[in-house]
Amino acid sequence: MLLNRRHFNRMGLLTAAGIFIPRRGIGSGFAGDGQTLEAQPKPVTLAPYVDPLPIPPMLKPSTKRGSPVTIRMAPFRQKVHRDLPPTTLWGYNGSWPGPTIEVQRDQPFAVNWVNALPNRHFLPLDFTIHGEEEKVPPVRAVVHVHGAQTLPEHDGYPDAWTTSDGKTGALYKPGPDRFPNAQRACTLWYHDHAIGITRLNVYAGLAGFYLIRDPQEAALNLPSGAYEIPLMIQDRLFLQDGSLLYPAAVNGTHPAWIQEFFGNTVCVNGKAKPYLEVEPRRYRFRMVNGSNARFYHLTLHASDAVGKPQEQAADAPPFQQIGSDGGLLPAPVSRQTLLVSPGERFDFVLDFTGLKDAHFVLTNDAPAPYTRGGEVDAEEVMLFKITKPLAGPDRSAVPAALAPFTPLNPAEAVRERVLAINEMDRKSDGYTMMGMLDGKHWDDPVTEDPKAGTSEVWSFANTTGDVHPMHLHLVQFQVLNRQAFDVKNFLATGKLRFMGNPLPPESNERPAWKDTVKTYPGFVTRVIQRFDLPPGTPVTPGQRFRYVWHCHILEHEDNEMMRPYDVVG
């Protein structure tokens, strides 16, 4: 068990790996606490588990080469809860989440992203944020397929945005985005990545699933078809008229920007606190945390028919985790809880066999901000009702061996980079002014320049009090370890002084392919990756391919906690 409510106390949090993290109390000025929301319209509290879980529409591209699919970004209205009028959203092809794109390994896919969004934003802009200045169009969009191995011009670079009236960012290149999909079967997702307003565009609804299949996965006989269900988890605030509320800062360090957004309502696949009727059999779930900043510590409890946990009831089935960000694990990992940071994906099976007419509620008890926040304000996630009759024999399986795994050897890494995670806080109350990576701004010269085809160890030294989910574009990496260090000495000298022995990765990171990793405060988190460009890429010596690495808390990446890096030929 990774975390449990009993581990939280007045002083901080102790993880199963032995990492102690001090917590910050209410009044820190984060969205979601009393200080920030008191001057805002009051959000509604919605009844849980009254609406069925929707399944996003499926988009399976033609295998015909050179035939791009068109996906349109535009406003629309969607009913997110029984008791609310329809909500105005922005989405891909008129849905939140957008259509689930499903492709086969090595099947190239091309897409024309058409921007048909309005020229005014309906969420609070802050012209003091880099990339969001008044000189640029207020509504910009560019799509990033998170976890995809593709060339830079198709990767959703933050400065490659477009507008509905034809304006473009400095690094925009015309033509469809192309994805070779030369990757193992995995759960990816796509979302907006425009410089300075990613937090607003994703919050408006611009996100969707992207699944890669391969024959190896198909041969495993995992639950499939109607028994394989995507779950995109995102927290929101709603007003009584159904509209989205994204609060502006009160006494912040910027006119509107807030340090992190937290909503009181958890939405799954665009529906507030839904329920899912299932058969008494195995189901596979593809989960992505698409929230701006919220971490989820998820537990499944036996409950009554309306979702009230029953303490004396039989144990809930465990999460049989079979995959992570970059694809299948070597073997299943059984877990009673899941800790999911923004941007991470979890692929797991729940076995409801023999549980006819039972009910299980999925709850969250992670504080916000994680782990230094106050009370949990988004506990209710979704309800499983095992009330559908079994349609036929369940012949699916969760085999003991899933996929071969070759660990990367740190001894073969050509270098280790120590990369600081920094925050600049207001001295009076600790309110963050901006985040930085290695003490540098977004527009500072590139300093990370791995050579194509080589492996490097990147050691993220977290000097802040927050847990930052760090994401690298292009690559999938492996987590090596975490180790406590003397933060004050590091900030003063730039030298790492370690305290204690390295801690191994968590059980579901060991081994696993990842592109987003939790970096705990006061710890160095080491990952290793091989900087391979897509197969067949022509490379001339010295040629540079521009990607980015960043914190996946969207409010952080929008305010300087993002850096470009170059893969050099």
Side-chain angles (χ1 to χ4, degrees), residues 194-210:
I195 186 79
I197 57 170
T198 296
R199 69 195 186 283
L200 304 178
N201 289 353
V202 173
Y203 189 75
L206 290 168
F209 280 90
Y210 189 108

Side-chain angles (χ1 to χ4, degrees), residues 11 102 130 152 189 224 227 243 263 290 350 376 380 409 415 436 449 460 478 497 499 522 526:
M11 301 300 293
E102 182 181 303
H130 177 74
W189 66 301
S224 60
Y227 308 109
S243 61
L350 290 175
V376 178
E380 299 158 331
N409 185 356
R415 69 175 295 174
M436 301 183 78
D449 54 356
F460 301 112
Q478 297 169 17
R497 179 189 296 162
M499 302 182 297
R526 297 187 184 90

Side-chain angles (χ1 to χ4, degrees), residues 314-345:
D315 290 338
F319 302 99
Q320 298 179 70
Q321 187 177 345
I322 58 173
S324 188
D325 303 340
L328 294 171
L329 303 176
V333 176
S334 182
R335 305 184 64 83
Q336 295 300 321
T337 65
L338 298 176
L339 177 63
V340 195
S341 70
E344 283 190 298
R345 282 88 70 208

Side-chain angles (χ1 to χ4, degrees), residues 256-270:
W257 177 82
I258 54 176
Q259 300 172 93
E260 297 176 347
F261 169 84
F262 302 109
N264 66 354
T265 298
V266 179
C267 296
V268 187
N269 293 353

Side-chain angles (χ1 to χ4, degrees), residues 76-133:
F76 65 101
R77 291 172 64 78
Q78 179 170 309
K79 194 168 177 64
V80 300
H81 189 271
R82 177 197 67 186
D83 299 332
L84 290 179
T87 298
T88 296
L89 298 159
W90 292 356
Y92 301 104
N93 280 4
S95 69
W96 171 48
T100 296
I101 299 169
E102 182 181 303
V103 297
Q104 296 294 322
R105 182 172 185 171
D106 296 321
Q107 173 192 330
F109 169 59
V111 57
N112 284 311
W113 308 102
V114 175
N115 187 339
L117 297 169
N119 59 14
R120 289 189 178 185
H121 221 297
F122 69 99
L123 299 174
L125 295 170
D126 191 320
F127 300 123
T128 68
I129 299 299
H130 177 74
E132 198 178 336
E133 300 89 351

Side-chain angles (χ1 to χ4, degrees), residues 130-131 157-159 171 193 195 435-437 440-446 546-550 557 559-565:
H130 177 74
Y157 194 79
D159 284 320
L171 294 185
H193 212 268
I195 186 79
M436 301 183 78
L437 296 177
K440 299 178 180 66
H441 295 279
W442 166 251
D443 274 347
D444 286 338
V446 169
R546 178 68 50 87
Y547 295 94
V548 300
W549 60 288
H550 59 86
E557 77 168 84
N559 194 4
E560 298 283 4
M561 199 170 266
M562 179 164 61
R563 286 282 294 150
Y565 81 92

Side-chain angles (χ1 to χ4, degrees), residues 100-374:
T100 296
I101 299 169
E102 182 181 303
V103 297
Q104 296 294 322
R105 182 172 185 171
D106 296 321
Q107 173 192 330
F109 169 59
V111 57
N112 284 311
W113 308 102
V114 175
N115 187 339
L117 297 169
N119 59 14
R120 289 189 178 185
H121 221 297
F122 69 99
L123 299 174
L125 295 170
D126 191 320
F127 300 123
T128 68
I129 299 299
H130 177 74
E132 198 178 336
E133 300 89 351
E134 292 186 74
K135 64 183 180 181
V136 297
V139 176
R140 313 171 300 285
V142 60
V143 184
H144 168 56
V145 178
H146 181 125
Q149 184 191 48
T150 191
L151 290 172
E153 57 266 34
H154 311 303
D155 187 53
Y157 194 79
D159 284 320
W161 47 263
T162 66
T163 67
S164 59
D165 59 357
K167 298 182 179 68
T168 59
L171 294 185
Y172 170 76
K173 292 187 177 179
D177 282 344
R178 299 187 181 276
F179 302 94
N181 299 314
Q183 300 172 241
R184 59 188 65 83
C186 57
T187 306
L188 308 181
W189 66 301
Y190 61 99
H191 59 81
D192 188 75
H193 212 268
I195 186 79
I197 57 170
T198 296
R199 69 195 186 283
L200 304 178
N201 289 353
V202 173
Y203 189 75
L206 290 168
F209 280 90
Y210 189 108
L211 306 180
I212 300 179
R213 307 282 190 184
D214 69 15
Q216 182 182 45
E217 175 199 40
L220 293 175
N221 195 30
L222 296 165
S224 60
Y227 308 109
E228 180 186 22
I229 296 175
L231 301 175
M232 181 171 290
I233 301 182
Q234 299 173 296
D235 59 329
R236 296 290 186 266
L237 292 171
F238 296 99
L239 297 178
Q240 192 63 53
D241 64 1
S243 61
L244 284 172
L245 168 62
Y246 185 98
V250 174
N251 300 321
T253 57
H254 295 264
W257 177 82
I258 54 176
Q259 300 172 93
E260 297 176 347
F261 169 84
F262 302 109
N264 66 354
T265 298
V266 179
C267 296
V268 187
N269 293 353
K271 189 69 72 172
K273 298 185 276 192
Y275 67 83
L276 175 65
E277 289 190 273
V278 297
E279 300 175 23
R281 53 156 294 150
R282 296 180 193 87
Y283 281 76
R284 180 183 183 183
F285 296 97
R286 316 287 286 264
M287 177 184 288
V288 58
N289 180 355
S291 297
N292 283 35
R294 185 178 291 280
F295 287 63
Y296 295 90
H297 179 239
L298 300 171
T299 307
L300 198 62
H301 304 273
S303 75
D304 63 14
V306 296
K308 182 179 179 181
Q310 304 294 291
E311 298 297 336
Q312 304 302 319
D315 290 338
F319 302 99
Q320 298 179 70
Q321 187 177 345
I322 58 173
S324 188
D325 303 340
L328 294 171
L329 303 176
V333 176
S334 182
R335 305 184 64 83
Q336 295 300 321
T337 65
L338 298 176
L339 177 63
V340 195
S341 70
E344 283 190 298
R345 282 88 70 208
F346 281 59
D347 188 348
F348 60 89
V349 172
L350 290 175
D351 190 351
F352 298 118
T353 302
L355 297 172
K356 186 177 183 297
D357 296 326
H359 296 77
F360 297 96
V361 63
L362 187 66
T363 65
N364 164 54
D365 66 2
Y370 188 77
T371 61
R372 305 186 301 169

